[in-house]
């Protein structure tokens, strides 16, 4: 008896994940080790200081990604369990995959890769790009397709981030350009290539309910609380990190208030849109990342947060429907409005901040730690002198162009790969439904003991 196309991942998913984890175990057994314990007290104290100063931020980021982002994606009423689970699966898969790639490319010395908390943190940043990108195709893609996205995006991100930070010397401590902009346009490229035939009509199970919007709003609140840790974790401890935390809090606070104002004004009856609150309140955190550790007045952070929130809300209200009509672009979670537009705004703000800052202040920016864990001063140190500040501002713009261009090309190629039948794209009728991937008691009771796989799938079709 023939098997329906969407029943194929029954063995494909566990086989793929089992092979991946087995290969990772072999790689770790052969090549990965911890740093040797230091015999000198000074070095041991330095290691202890680095752990105690970094791990609290690392824990905050874990809560953001596992709980906050997972709940933010539960706005689809019948897809909440899948959204949370797939988000958790992709985080772990992408982080381990990034550890392997980073170890082979950057940290493979004398036949070994030395593992520490900082390398794990950098790998988690790579995983963030995947979690953002899949928001464009949430609910209309299978777990196998999502894992394929992660497999392709992590190396593309690492290559793009290396070019932007190490070759161009872009200053982006909070990942506005390297993470948010890249992941946004990668996801849009995947969506365009995957749904090339045109924009999908509104699915009957796609409309949020008050309960699903409430869960998503709780996720937004968790992200809002912990976002300063995400921005400041890689800043140099001291004044730079302190300034990054303050600027992020100011930007996000202003963004939250401005979101309420903009959403209320755009609605005829003055009511608030849950989708505006869930996304606009976070837009300030996206935009501030590129300038968070720069010595700018507090009013600049407030202004950038407010402007990014207005941009996000206007994007949901006008730009998303326009792109859907003109370009047949599918953006399920509105990642273009939350990550793309504020990310571009933040990149522009970083160039302006460098240009308008005093020369001695703007030159000191190059010593700030970058999201890659490297030091940008080696790249842009030669730019000091006449015209150096202007060249650094141009580098910021060039980094933005590289992030958009590279992510779009890589996303389109990845999206074309996702059209392969073996990746088991779910049929339109069964999209946005947990029943396709999870076993429920009422579903089992509706099937007889001798039901075949095909009969179960047909019964599921009738059930939904």
């Amino acid at each position: 008896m023939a098997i329906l196309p969407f029943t194929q991942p029954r063995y494909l998913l566990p086989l793929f994940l089992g092979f991946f984890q087995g290969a990772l175990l072999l790689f770790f057994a052969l090549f990965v080790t911890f740093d040797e314990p230091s015999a000198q007290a000074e070095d041991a104290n330095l290691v202890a200081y680095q752990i105690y100063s970094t791990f609290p931020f690392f824990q905050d980021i874990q809560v953001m990604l596992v709980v906050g982002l997972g709940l933010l994606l539960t706005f689809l009423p019948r897809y909440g369990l899948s959204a949370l689970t797939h988000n958790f699966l992709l985080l772990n898969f992408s982080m381990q995959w990034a550890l392997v790639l980073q170890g082979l490319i950057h940290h493979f010395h004398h036949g070994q890769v030395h593992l520490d908390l900082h390398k794990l943190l950098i790998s988690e940043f790579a995983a963030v790009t995947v979690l953002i990108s899949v928001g464009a195709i949430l609910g209309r893609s299978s777990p196998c397709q999502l894992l394929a996205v992660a497999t392709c995006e992590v190396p593309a991100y690492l290559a793009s981030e290396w070019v932007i930070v190490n070759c161009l010397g872009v200053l982006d401590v909070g990942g506005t350009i390297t993470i948010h902009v890249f992941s946004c346009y990668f996801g849009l490229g995947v969506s365009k290539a995957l749904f090339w035939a045109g924009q999908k009509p509104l699915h009957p199970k796609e409309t949020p309910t008050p309960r699903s919007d409430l869960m998503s709003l709780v996720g937004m609140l968790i992200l809002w609380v912990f976002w300063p840790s995400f921005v400041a974790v890689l800043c140099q401890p001291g004044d730079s990190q302190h300034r990054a935390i303050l600027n992020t809090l100011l930007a996000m606070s202003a963004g939250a208030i401005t979101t309420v104002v903009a959403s209320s004004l755009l609605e005829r009856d003055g009511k608030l849109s849950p989708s505006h609150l869930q996304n606009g309140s976070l837009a300030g955190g996206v935009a501030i990342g590129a300038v968070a550790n720069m010595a700018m007045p507090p009013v600049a952070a407030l202004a950038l947060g407010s402007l990014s929130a207005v941009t996000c809300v206007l994007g949901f209200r006008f730009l998303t429907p326009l792109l859907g009509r003109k370009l047949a672009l599918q953006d399920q979670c509105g990642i273009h409005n939350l990550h793309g537009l504020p990310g571009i705004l933040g990149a522009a703000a970083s160039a302006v901040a460098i240009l308008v800052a005093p020369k001695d202040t703007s030159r000191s920016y190059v010593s700030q730690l970058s999201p890659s864990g490297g030091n940008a001063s080696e790249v842009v140190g030669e730019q000091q002198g006449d015209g150096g500040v202007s060249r650094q501002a141009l580098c910021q713009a060039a980094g933005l162009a590289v992030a958009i261009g590279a992510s779009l090309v890589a996303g389109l190629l990845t999206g074309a790969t996702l059209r392969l039948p073996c990746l088991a794209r779910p049929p339109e009728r069964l999209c946005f439904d947990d029943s396709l991937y999870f076993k429920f008691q009422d579903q089992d009771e509706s099937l007889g003991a001798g039901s075949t796989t095909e009969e179960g799938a047909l019964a599921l079709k009738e059930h939904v």
Side-chain angles (χ1 to χ4, degrees):
M1 184 173 291
I3 300 297
L4 295 180
F6 62 92
T7 63
Q8 292 177 2
R10 176 181 178 183
Y11 297 109
L12 179 60
L13 181 63
L15 284 176
F16 178 79
L17 288 175
F19 175 79
F20 169 79
Q21 200 62 58
L24 194 78
L25 287 171
L26 181 62
F27 177 81
F28 268 63
L30 295 177
F31 303 111
V32 180
T33 185
F34 295 110
D35 288 331
E36 293 292 335
S38 178
Q40 298 183 359
E42 295 81 3
D43 294 338
N45 291 334
L46 178 61
V47 172
Y49 171 76
Q50 291 174 343
I51 293 175
Y52 292 135
S53 63
T54 302
F55 190 65
F57 289 99
F58 182 82
Q59 285 181 304
D60 291 348
I61 296 172
Q62 289 283 87
V63 175
M64 284 180 64
L65 301 181
V66 176
V67 184
L69 183 56
L71 289 176
L72 185 69
L73 301 177
T74 60
F75 65 94
L76 297 170
R78 300 183 62 176
Y79 198 72
L81 187 58
S82 299
L84 275 168
T85 305
H86 294 162
N87 179 77
F88 184 59
L89 173 63
L90 286 173
L91 171 62
N92 286 279
F93 177 88
S94 303
M95 183 180 64
Q96 294 185 50
W97 179 223
L99 272 176
V100 171
L101 293 178
Q102 279 199 108
L104 291 175
I105 297 173
H106 299 299
H107 309 294
F108 195 77
H109 303 296
H110 306 293
Q112 286 188 326
V113 177
H114 291 271
L115 187 64
D116 57 31
L117 185 60
H118 182 75
K119 294 183 179 67
L120 194 65
L121 180 63
I122 300 304
S123 299
E124 195 131 299
F125 277 115
V128 172
T129 63
V130 177
L131 303 184
I132 295 173
S133 296
V134 297
I137 58 175
L138 184 72
R140 297 184 185 271
S141 50
S142 68
C144 295
Q145 288 178 310
L146 298 180
L147 291 173
V149 171
T151 303
C152 297
E153 184 171 6
V154 169
Y157 161 75
L158 293 175
S160 170
E161 192 262 356
W162 182 82
V163 171
I164 292 171
V165 174
N166 294 312
C167 295
L168 296 177
V170 171
L171 306 177
D172 184 24
V173 72
T176 296
I177 301 171
T178 55
I179 294 177
H180 293 286
V181 172
F182 178 89
S183 59
C184 168
Y185 290 100
F186 186 96
L188 294 181
V190 169
S191 177
K192 182 59 182 177
L194 181 59
F195 308 118
W196 192 267
Q199 187 184 22
K200 298 288 184 181
L202 185 66
H203 198 281
K205 290 175 283 188
E206 191 176 351
T207 305
T209 63
R211 182 170 181 175
S212 65
D213 273 332
L214 176 61
M215 294 298 295
S216 182
L217 193 62
V218 171
M220 180 277 291
L221 295 175
I222 295 173
L223 288 169
W224 194 95
V225 169
F226 292 108
W227 202 286
S229 296
F230 179 84
V231 174
V233 63
L234 289 177
C235 291
Q236 291 178 348
D239 183 62
S240 175
Q241 196 170 69
H242 182 227
R243 190 164 51 240
I245 294 173
L246 293 177
N247 283 332
T248 304
L249 286 171
L250 290 174
M252 299 195 70
S253 181
I257 294 177
T258 307
T259 297
V260 175
V261 174
S263 180
S264 181
L265 291 177
L266 285 176
E267 298 296 330
R268 294 180 180 178
D269 52 4
K271 295 181 179 180
L272 300 177
S273 168
S275 64
H276 293 168
L277 293 177
Q278 294 155 4
N279 295 274
S281 302
L282 302 174
V286 174
I288 199 67
V291 296
N293 62 336
M294 295 185 180
M296 59 184 186
V299 67
L302 290 171
L304 183 58
S306 297
L307 187 57
S308 60
V310 170
T311 303
C312 179
V313 172
L314 292 177
F316 273 101
R317 185 66 175 84
F318 300 107
L319 187 58
T320 296
L322 179 65
L323 293 177
R325 291 193 305 268
K326 300 298 184 181
L327 301 179
L329 188 61
Q330 190 81 25
D331 185 6
Q332 194 62 48
C333 294
I335 62 173
H336 189 226
N337 306 314
L338 175 55
H339 301 277
L341 298 179
I344 293 174
L345 185 63
S350 69
V352 173
I354 291 172
L355 289 174
V356 301
K359 285 187 176 181
D360 55 342
T361 303
S362 60
R363 290 177 181 180
S364 67
Y365 295 155
V366 299
S367 65
Q368 304 301 331
L369 195 64
S370 66
S372 67
N375 198 302
S377 61
E378 296 179 1
V379 181
V380 296
E382 299 177 357
Q383 297 178 358
Q384 304 305 313
D386 295 338
V389 172
S390 299
R391 285 193 293 272
Q392 182 58 41
L394 289 176
C395 285
Q396 299 296 113
L400 176 64
V402 170
I404 295 177
S407 60
L408 279 175
V409 172
L412 288 170
L413 294 175
T414 302
T417 304
L418 298 190
R419 299 176 67 89
L420 294 173
C422 63
L423 295 178
R425 174 179 161 188
E428 183 66 17
R429 190 177 179 184
L430 297 178
C431 290
F432 307 108
D433 201 312
D434 290 327
S435 303
L436 187 58
Y437 305 112
F438 290 91
K439 183 178 181 180
F440 298 107
Q441 187 66 30
D442 58 344
Q443 180 182 331
D444 293 340
E445 293 175 353
S446 65
L447 301 177
S451 298
T452 63
T453 304
E454 184 177 3
E455 289 170 349
L458 291 173
L460 177 59
K461 276 190 174 183
E462 296 299 324
H463 178 69
V464 299

